[in-house]
Amino acid sequence: MGTPGSGADWLARYGSSLLGVFGAPQRVLVRGSGCTVEDADGNTYLDLLGGIAVNTLGHAHPFVTSVVSAQLATLGHVSNFFTSPTQIVLAEKLLALAGAPDGSRVFFTNSGTEANEAAFKLARRNGSPTRTRILALDGAFHGRSMGALALTAKPAYREPFQPLPGGVEHLPFGDPQALLNAVDDTVAAVFLEPIQGEAGVRPLPQGYLRRAREATAEHGALLILDEVQTGIGRTGTWFAHQAEGVVPDAMTLAKGLGGGFPIGALVTYGPASGLLTAGQHGTTFGGNPVAGAAGLATLAVLEETGALDNAGILGEHLRAGLAAVPGVVETRGAGLLIGFDLDGGYAPAAVRAALDAGFIINSTSERTLRLAPPLILTRPQADSFLEALPGILTTAQGAAS
Ligand SMILES: *Cc1c(COP(=O)(O)O)cnc(C)c1O
């Protein structure tokens, strides 16, 4: 049980009050500052996961905290019978960063899965009822609500909840010919992640997005990019697809957008913005004044501090350093979304050994580890992990064997 207020005490209470859909939490975290968090037992950790690519500015960023607090103290919620300046300015800002053409629009949500639900409905409205097919990829993760789950590939996530919304087909990952064969005039939309995060940080092969753009444009299908994990500077550009120079018909965002505050968005480009009309979709909380303020504050700090450049430079530094560590056999990713494979199935043990050594990292499979730290991570912080990793992997190998 542990003494009241200790990590063990909280975890026992967690186990008898929270629904058991997650594994047992690894630690009970009580406060954070910058790239560091502290647990209920007073241990501190360098956070190299950032709440899964959410805490772009680390924890308790002073500017985000003051802007969000001030907005909540001024006007917190209004419903969508009304609007408020923060959601309008944030929509304008996102369209500008996306380089979206005239006629483009934004719909705000509270999460990534809700952004993909909105995108799913957008897809259904494209050429319905003759365009019945929606294409996604093996390994795809688009969220846990029913529409997003239909787009998600993993059988263990899908099968307990069938029947799911129909019409979705999963194609082999990264195979352009399979995509070209599948796209015809019966396809409403193609959903792609520029880099599959949950699948272990797997980037689409060079040129794949461009060919997907050409094929969808030729056949009147929408190209919908899920940038929930890759967007908002994570990969060194505002949105990962910008490195490939393609313009999608829609893009979904969430994780990094609010700097820790829940907010998501569907961005529709040009003509796709006319597919959903008044009354066809909605949300009570989405785009409320506080969420808008959090998004604006986060984007402003990212812009002013050169965090995107930092993500690009530090990401390369980290990948090069990781590649030199014994036991690491492959590194992938862009900017500060990094996956690396081990030479054996000891990634979950490495997560535990890293925690004991004061680092928060994540395993996406038995052999693959993922880093998605705050974009304000410093080089000394990155180096402290590179220096500790050989020992962490040795401990993990011993524990797993
Ligand atoms: C996390 C994630 C989602 C789901 O977002 P939630 O906020 O957890 O609903 C969807 N797509 C991708 C690519 C993600 O990484």
Side-chain angles (χ1 to χ4, degrees):
M1 286 292 110
T3 50
S6 69
D9 178 48
W10 282 120
L11 287 177
R13 291 169 62 179
Y14 177 99
S16 53
S17 59
L18 276 294
L19 193 67
V21 293
F22 303 105
Q26 297 167 316
R27 294 288 194 274
V28 179
L29 301 179
V30 293
R31 62 178 62 80
S33 173
C35 298
T36 306
V37 290
E38 187 183 323
D39 72 15
D41 301 313
N43 304 302
T44 59
Y45 305 88
L46 181 64
D47 185 0
L48 296 172
L49 186 59
I52 317 183
V54 167
N55 297 100
T56 40
L57 297 174
H59 299 272
H61 190 280
F63 185 70
V64 177
T65 304
S66 73
V67 168
V68 166
S69 307
Q71 183 61 53
L72 188 57
T74 305
L75 184 69
H77 178 80
V78 296
S79 93
N80 290 300
F81 293 121
F82 303 94
T83 187
S84 68
T86 63
Q87 71 167 197
I88 299 165
V89 180
L90 182 58
E92 291 170 350
K93 184 74 191 168
L94 286 175
L95 293 174
L97 296 177
D102 285 352
S104 301
R105 298 287 187 268
V106 178
F107 175 81
F108 286 115
T109 68
N110 311 290
S111 67
T113 204
E114 288 169 83
N116 284 326
E117 291 296 323
F120 198 121
K121 289 176 77 172
L122 187 81
R124 282 283 197 256
R125 296 303 305 152
N126 182 36
S128 150
T130 54
R131 292 180 183 274
T132 53
R133 299 166 61 215
I134 293 176
L135 307 179
L137 296 189
D138 287 344
F141 182 80
H142 297 291
R144 301 291 204 131
S145 54
M146 293 300 265
L149 190 55
L151 299 166
T152 292
K154 197 170 174 173
Y157 292 173
R158 300 168 56 87
E159 279 165 8
F161 304 102
Q162 279 161 352
L164 296 169
V168 180
E169 299 164 34
H170 289 94
L171 305 177
F173 176 81
D175 176 349
Q177 197 54 50
L179 180 71
L180 299 186
N181 293 344
V183 177
D184 62 21
D185 293 352
T186 66
V187 173
V190 176
F191 278 79
L192 299 172
E193 297 156 86
I195 301 173
Q196 288 188 338
E198 298 308 299
V201 189
R202 287 202 296 181
L204 285 171
Q206 191 83 34
Y208 186 97
L209 272 183
R210 182 169 294 282
R211 296 176 77 173
R213 175 67 288 181
E214 287 163 7
T216 47
E218 187 187 331
H219 290 282
L222 302 177
L223 177 64
I224 301 179
L225 299 181
D226 181 344
E227 295 241 21
V228 168
Q229 188 157 161
T230 52
I232 316 296
R234 169 78 26 208
T235 64
T237 52
W238 282 107
F239 309 106
H241 71 268
Q242 290 174 326
E244 286 267 333
V246 299
V247 179
D249 298 298
M251 164 171 73
T252 54
L253 301 171
K255 291 194 165 88
L257 178 53
F261 198 92
I263 178 170
L266 168 69
V267 180
T268 57
Y269 290 64
S273 306
L275 290 170
L276 285 171
T277 56
Q280 290 188 328
H281 199 48
T283 163
T284 297
F285 290 118
N288 85 25
V290 184
L296 280 173
T298 302
L299 295 177
V301 177
L302 289 172
E303 213 160 26
E304 280 159 24
T305 57
L308 276 62
D309 291 340
N310 187 54
I313 294 163
L314 212 51
E316 264 183 48
H317 176 68
L318 265 168
R319 274 189 300 280
L322 290 168
V325 172
V328 175
V329 293
E330 187 181 310
T331 65
R332 291 180 300 275
L336 285 173
L337 182 58
I338 298 175
F340 57 104
D341 291 344
L342 305 177
D343 58 2
Y346 56 94
V351 170
R352 291 188 290 273
L355 272 175
D356 291 340
F359 300 94
I360 294 177
I361 62 174
N362 164 248
S363 61
T364 58
S365 71
E366 292 296 307
R367 300 175 74 101
T368 303
L369 293 165
R370 170 174 55 176
L371 308 180
L375 307 186
I376 56 166
L377 190 76
T378 65
R379 191 158 169 146
Q381 287 170 329
D383 286 341
S384 71
F385 176 66
L386 291 173
E387 278 156 33
L389 187 60
I392 289 168
L393 295 185
T394 304
T395 305
Q397 269 174 309
S401 63

